[in-house]
Amino acid sequence: MNPFNIKPEDVVDEIHEFNSKLAQGYKTLADLGEIEVGVSEKEAVYQEDNLVLYHFKSRTKKQNSVPLLIVYALVNRPYMADLQDGRSMIQGLLDQGVDVYLIDWGYPDSADKYLTLDDYINGYIDRCVDVICEKHKRKNINLLGICQGGAFSLCYTALHQKKIKNLITTVTPVDYHTKDDLLSHMVREIDIDLIVDTLGNIPGEMLNATFLTLKPYSLMGQKYVDLVNILDDKEKAMNFMRMEKWIFDSPDLAGEAYREFIKQFYQQNGLVKGTVKIGDDIVDLGKITIPILNIYARDDHLVPTDASKALEGCVSSKDYNSLEFPGGHIGIYVSGKAQKMIPPSVAAWLDKRTK
Amino acid sequence: MSNKDKTPLNDFDLADIQKKYMDALMAFKSPESKIDSVWVNAMDDWWKSAKTDMPYESSNIFEKVLDQCRNYYFMSEQFSSLLDGINRSKNNNDQLTDFINKKFKEIESAFSSGKNTFNLNGFLNNFEQPIDLMKSAFSNSSFDPSEVFDGLNLDLGKLRDQMLSIPGLGYSREAQDKSKYALKLLSNYQENFQEYQTVMLRLNQEALELMRKRIISMSKDDEKIDSMRLIYDLWIESNEKVYGDYVYTKEYAELNGRLVNSMMAFKKQSHEITEDMLSELHIPTIKSMDELERRHYELRKQVNEMHSEINNLKKQLQQKNSKPVVVKKETKPVVRRKNKTKKRVTSKPSNVVELKQVKKKVATRVKAVKKKAKQKTKKTSADKGMIEIKF
């Protein structure tokens, strides 16, 4: 049987319709104006080098007494957690009465190329935690890590457990050698020392290209043809442009920190093996005994679910909980489904353990 | 060729070499050509007139959209000619499969010829997405060698190998060796890049084959394709499937590793040569900046440590202000941290008791030592007949 149920005139009609949408899309994009990101009101409470620690303004009368610090990855920008009204994990948390702080790593420059994981974890994160503890007259706070920020949070908790009351990890890789971990597979044979010695800081474009290479035809091709179909709707076009802005807003990575992270985590799988060394200390996840909530995304193409789920077998926490989100690596923060699921679950879990 | 053009030292034909060099140089840049498509041409003409009115950020993304539209239009045109053929066959199943197979062969050969002559420039650029991404990934750091390899003449490669085998001579032999090493690294990268390109082209052909099989299987299962967009999606899915299966293999990890490592090795060497030249001119180099930045980093670390110590001391002082003040002796209780030179004064109230006890102990010990020394001196001086000095 002929599988083509298309007449020649249908083809012409389809292309004409597509062309009209394209012309309309041109008008929409030309009139779109500035693309704004980051919706929740916040103030900078601490600044060091390129880092800024933000405190978000409360949106409820009553708040959880233990503040929550969000540690974002060094890759891309943290406004993804606060992209726009109604598509913001931070807004959701504030609405649930969580007192939220966020570390914005900024854009590392060439003076930052020697920053190590020790500087990030035992330096920057530790000082931010101290600032919050001081401000709230507390000995410990809650910590939420996003992706690589989750791995940093795990290391920090293992090394400074007294300062953390509850730990939440979201789409965080723990086992970097699972079968379906394409990123890990791609860097396995790469000479990281040579790259860092040659480039110093790692260009954001290079990281971006690596992520896009995971699904090049969909992420660099099909997506833009799909865009034509929504360009007649200004709101949808703006949403697309916000995501596009975030995707390509990639800071460079401090060379030494990149060297340590890729070699120890991705190539040697040191977090599970207990061989990751931060400064003078070995990170032993088995030392973590505080309550943990591990959230992962079922359709994550960057951090496979098994890579995240491995956490349970590495820590000694008796109060360990996990939550599977039916979506992808980015959808877990920005999709409508996520807004209904993630902030309320996190807030409820924290309330139970902190009030 | 006259004899005077030949060098007396070898058989090289200078004019021939120059011609080969020019051919190779011309091959770097093939004449631009477009997809032969009415729809694509119309779109390109429209965009030329429209793009000036669009803000940069939007125009940038719109160009990405247009790139993909070219693919969509190209696929649509290819398949609309297939539809014509199918309509003429009046649903004869054997002829139908033949038409599909024939059309896919045409598309495949269009891709293959495009590879060599760039007559599918716009389409092929996107068709080779992983290679483009790889190129753009490294292009921001100095010279991007990948551009040079497009269309490199093989004869030039031979000549290059001959040149590289000549040992460095004279005062500048070290610089010569460095340059030759850079060329060897470039050549190594060239081989890896070509291998990568060949593999990607193979995957694209496999994707077309997968797409063909899917369409034939749809015809058997009585499934319908009712839009050109569906055909485009099928092409994307097939590419993603074939590519996705391949990138999980060890072969890909090794190929990717070789490509990136060889490019970095070349870049590193070319940086070194540039740095040498700049140093000769007393121009600041990356190496000197690196050293400055390293020192700056060390200083920042020290400042952070000092801040932390000062904060600790401030806290201790605050605590002390609310409790009895104890003046510390130099000997105790100074705490020296491992690898650090700063002093920390403890402010525990229990120190008051501790210090008294320490003083008492020290006094008792000094007494005992004096007594013992006195006895010893007496004994020694008596033994040796020396004069006892009291102090």
Side-chain angles (χ1 to χ4, degrees):
Chain A
M1 287 291 286
N2 177 6
F4 297 101
N5 191 22
I6 321 169
K7 292 175 200 154
E9 57 267 30
D10 294 341
V11 178
V12 176
D13 286 349
E14 188 184 328
I15 297 295
H16 273 296
E17 196 189 334
F18 187 81
N19 282 344
S20 314
K21 283 180 180 173
L22 199 62
Q24 173 63 37
Y26 165 81
K27 205 167 172 289
T28 310
L29 282 176
D31 297 341
L32 218 47
E34 202 175 322
I35 299 139
E36 286 176 1
V37 287
V39 59
S40 306
E41 208 177 318
K42 60 185 185 286
E43 64 161 337
V45 290
Y46 176 70
Q47 211 157 348
E48 185 186 340
D49 303 330
N50 289 311
L51 171 152
V52 182
L53 174 67
Y54 287 109
H55 185 203
F56 287 86
K57 196 179 171 191
S58 153
R59 287 163 62 99
T60 51
K61 278 185 184 172
K62 210 176 167 190
Q63 281 186 302
N64 189 314
S65 59
V66 185
L68 173 76
L69 172 63
I70 298 178
V71 179
Y72 195 75
L74 301 178
V75 184
N76 288 93
R77 302 282 295 131
Y79 58 76
M80 194 265 287
D82 188 35
L83 199 62
Q84 68 186 84
D85 195 23
R87 289 173 82 195
S88 158
M89 183 184 79
I90 288 175
Q91 193 182 57
L93 289 170
L94 292 169
D95 287 342
Q96 298 287 328
V98 181
D99 192 3
V100 182
Y101 286 81
L102 169 85
I103 296 178
D104 180 348
W105 300 111
Y107 294 84
D109 47 48
S110 67
D112 293 328
K113 72 161 77 89
Y114 294 105
L115 288 175
T116 60
L117 291 182
D118 180 36
D119 295 314
Y120 277 103
I121 293 166
N122 292 324
Y124 290 139
I125 295 179
D126 192 42
R127 285 190 284 276
C128 287
V129 170
D130 285 348
V131 166
I132 300 168
C133 284
E134 179 90 20
K135 200 165 180 253
H136 290 261
K137 308 272 178 254
R138 292 195 55 87
K139 284 182 179 167
N140 55 24
I141 60 166
N142 294 327
L143 195 62
L144 185 150
I146 294 179
C147 189
Q148 184 193 31
F152 284 9
S153 302
L154 281 168
C155 295
Y156 182 78
T157 306
L159 300 172
H160 307 266
Q161 187 158 221
K162 280 183 183 168
K163 293 185 184 181
I164 303 301
K165 189 164 176 60
N166 300 292
L167 173 66
I168 300 150
T169 50
T170 59
V171 287
T172 296
V174 177
D175 183 349
Y176 293 75
H177 283 188
T178 55
K179 266 188 184 173
D180 46 356
D181 195 332
L182 188 51
L183 261 184
S184 166
H185 183 73
M186 285 172 90
V187 299
R188 211 64 69 80
E189 301 291 330
I190 287 178
D191 185 344
I192 299 300
D193 288 331
L194 183 61
I195 291 189
V196 177
D197 293 345
T198 308
L199 301 179
N201 280 348
I202 305 304
E205 293 88 344
M206 182 175 148
L207 298 168
N208 239 327
T210 309
F211 295 134
L212 294 173
T213 309
L214 301 177
K215 278 184 166 185
Y217 298 93
S218 315
L219 298 176
M220 289 296 287
Q222 195 177 31
K223 183 177 86 171
Y224 295 107
V225 177
D226 288 341
L227 174 64
V228 176
N229 290 324
I230 59 162
L231 276 180
D232 53 348
D233 183 330
K234 198 176 173 184
E235 189 57 38
K236 284 182 181 169
M238 192 55 126
N239 289 349
F240 181 94
M241 291 298 280
R242 273 196 201 96
M243 275 309 296
E244 194 73 356
K245 179 177 176 163
W246 175 78
I247 289 167
F248 292 101
D249 189 358
S250 338
D252 294 348
L253 245 70
E256 287 306 319
Y258 176 84
R259 188 199 305 265
E260 289 182 351
F261 189 72
I262 301 294
K263 283 173 81 171
Q264 295 197 61
F265 290 70
Y266 272 98
Q267 291 185 334
Q268 296 159 10
N269 202 15
L271 206 50
V272 209
K273 290 181 184 167
T275 56
V276 167
K277 200 175 176 192
I278 307 290
D280 294 329
D281 302 312
I282 298 285
V283 175
D284 178 4
L285 294 183
K287 283 184 182 169
I288 300 180
T289 53
I290 59 164
I292 292 179
L293 173 60
N294 184 20
I295 305 173
Y296 51 88
R298 190 189 61 200
D299 310 319
D300 198 327
H301 72 290
L302 287 171
V303 180
T305 51
D306 284 345
S308 292
K309 282 180 181 173
L311 179 61
E312 188 172 7
C314 299
V315 293
S316 306
S317 308
K318 283 178 187 158
D319 185 2
Y320 178 92
N321 301 267
S322 58
L323 179 66
E324 182 176 277
F325 170 73
H329 191 76
I330 311 299
I332 195 170
Y333 305 104
V334 298
S335 69
K337 206 166 25 178
Q339 307 313 310
K340 287 177 196 153
M341 182 180 176
I342 304 300
S345 307
V346 170
W349 186 84
L350 285 175
D351 282 350
K352 207 174 166 188
R353 284 153 186 87
T354 49
K355 271 183 181 168
Chain B
M1 187 80 211
S2 66
N3 280 338
K4 69 175 181 181
D5 287 334
K6 283 195 172 186
T7 62
L9 300 174
N10 54 41
D11 291 332
F12 281 167
D13 185 331
L14 200 60
D16 187 43
I17 290 170
Q18 279 175 336
K19 187 180 173 300
K20 281 176 181 170
Y21 174 78
M22 287 310 292
D23 287 347
L25 199 66
M26 294 305 289
F28 288 164
K29 182 73 185 165
S30 301
E32 266 188 40
S33 55
K34 289 180 177 178
I35 299 169
D36 187 19
S37 155
V38 179
W39 291 328
V40 172
N41 292 344
M43 185 186 76
D44 284 342
D45 289 341
W46 166 75
W47 178 235
K48 268 178 201 163
S49 60
K51 73 187 291 186
T52 47
D53 296 336
M54 193 176 247
Y56 173 75
E57 204 169 26
S58 303
S59 112
N60 194 24
I61 198 157
F62 207 69
E63 277 182 356
K64 286 181 185 172
V65 173
L66 296 183
D67 274 346
Q68 288 314 306
C69 290
R70 283 185 192 99
N71 296 344
Y72 170 60
Y73 288 148
F74 177 77
M75 266 303 171
S76 300
E77 281 202 357
Q78 293 293 319
F79 276 83
S80 55
S81 69
L82 172 67
L83 290 177
D84 282 346
I86 290 171
N87 286 340
R88 279 198 298 273
S89 74
K90 293 173 185 170
N91 281 348
N92 179 325
N93 270 348
D94 290 339
Q95 277 190 5
L96 179 78
T97 312
D98 284 348
F99 272 124
I100 292 174
N101 290 344
K102 203 178 154 197
K103 191 70 220 169
F104 271 90
K105 279 215 164 119
E106 276 174 31
I107 297 174
E108 197 183 310
S109 82
F111 287 162
S112 302
S113 65
K115 177 72 217 129
N116 295 325
T117 61
F118 289 89
N119 64 355
L120 287 173
N121 212 6
F123 183 73
L124 208 68
N125 280 349
N126 293 287
F127 191 60
E128 294 176 328
Q129 208 61 260
I131 294 172
D132 283 351
L133 287 168
M134 191 61 75
K135 281 182 181 178
S136 68
F138 301 107
S139 61
N140 75 335
S141 52
S142 75
F143 172 55
D144 176 16
S146 60
E147 296 293 328
V148 177
F149 299 138
D150 294 341
L152 187 74
N153 190 310
L154 280 176
D155 286 338
L156 194 68
K158 259 187 206 169
L159 188 63
R160 175 203 59 208
D161 292 340
Q162 283 177 339
M163 279 167 61
L164 292 180
S165 64
I166 302 169
L169 292 168
Y171 181 70
S172 63
R173 65 187 180 283
E174 280 179 20
Q176 290 171 38
D177 286 344
K178 274 189 182 176
S179 302
K180 276 192 287 183
Y181 184 53
L183 282 171
K184 273 183 191 167
L185 294 173
L186 183 67
S187 154
N188 185 30
Y189 171 66
Q190 175 191 1
E191 281 165 20
N192 289 317
F193 184 76
Q194 281 173 348
E195 190 186 344
Y196 194 89
Q197 262 185 324
T198 309
V199 168
M200 287 303 141
L201 191 68
R202 191 192 80 211
L203 295 184
N204 291 330
Q205 284 168 348
E206 283 177 21
L208 272 179
E209 178 59 14
L210 178 66
M211 186 181 175
R212 187 188 67 81
K213 282 181 182 165
R214 279 185 180 178
I215 289 176
I216 288 174
S217 121
M218 285 169 96
S219 73
K220 284 176 187 163
D221 298 345
D222 204 15
E223 285 178 70
K224 295 290 175 198
I225 296 170
D226 51 16
S227 71
M228 286 295 155
R229 178 57 209 265
L230 242 158
I231 292 169
Y232 170 82
D233 286 347
L234 198 58
W235 174 70
I236 291 279
E237 279 166 28
S238 305
N239 270 296
E240 210 72 276
K241 171 84 178 76
V242 170
Y243 174 82
D245 287 348
Y246 179 69
V247 290
Y248 276 108
T249 61
K250 196 169 188 298
E251 185 192 325
Y252 175 76
E254 286 171 358
L255 175 62
N256 188 49
R258 279 199 302 278
L259 183 70
V260 175
N261 295 343
S262 59
M263 174 180 260
M264 283 301 137
F266 169 69
K267 273 186 184 294
K268 192 163 183 271
Q269 185 68 10
S270 64
H271 284 175
E272 204 170 301
I273 292 168
T274 314
E275 296 265 304
D276 286 350
M277 288 191 300
L278 294 175
S279 293
E280 293 284 327
L281 299 169
H282 298 290
I283 292 173
T285 60
I286 295 286
K287 208 182 271 179
S288 54
M289 286 299 294
D290 279 353
E291 180 55 24
L292 279 177
E293 279 162 353
R294 194 189 57 75
R295 287 183 200 176
H296 177 232
Y297 164 76
E298 297 286 343
L299 278 173
R300 268 159 75 189
K301 266 200 119 159
Q302 282 175 18
V303 169
N304 277 334
E305 280 171 13
M306 283 161 74
H307 267 301
S308 158
E309 288 295 319
I310 290 168
N311 284 339
N312 282 341
L313 288 170
K314 274 185 186 168
K315 275 182 202 165
Q316 286 166 14
L317 268 175
Q318 279 170 358
Q319 283 176 348
K320 269 170 78 178
N321 284 341
S322 56
K323 281 158 191 169
V325 180
V326 181
V327 180
K328 300 292 165 197
K329 293 270 178 182
E330 277 185 10
T331 47
K332 280 219 173 184
V334 172
V335 179
R336 208 172 270 277
R337 273 188 178 181
K338 205 180 176 185
N339 296 333
K340 288 187 184 161
T341 51
K342 292 129 205 159
K343 293 170 182 177
R344 193 170 65 179
V345 181
T346 54
S347 60
K348 286 180 191 170
S350 58
N351 279 356
V352 181
V353 183
E354 276 175 14
L355 194 64
K356 278 180 184 171
Q357 285 170 346
V358 169
K359 275 181 178 175
K360 204 174 172 184
K361 272 184 185 175
V362 170
T364 321
R365 198 175 170 87
V366 167
K367 242 180 190 177
V369 171
K370 272 184 180 176
K371 200 176 170 185
K372 209 174 175 182
K374 207 173 171 183
Q375 284 170 351
K376 201 177 175 184
T377 318
K378 266 184 186 176
K379 201 183 168 192
T380 321
S381 51
D383 289 347
K384 295 185 179 176
M386 286 168 75
I387 300 162
E388 185 190 343
I389 301 167
K390 285 188 179 177
F391 55 90

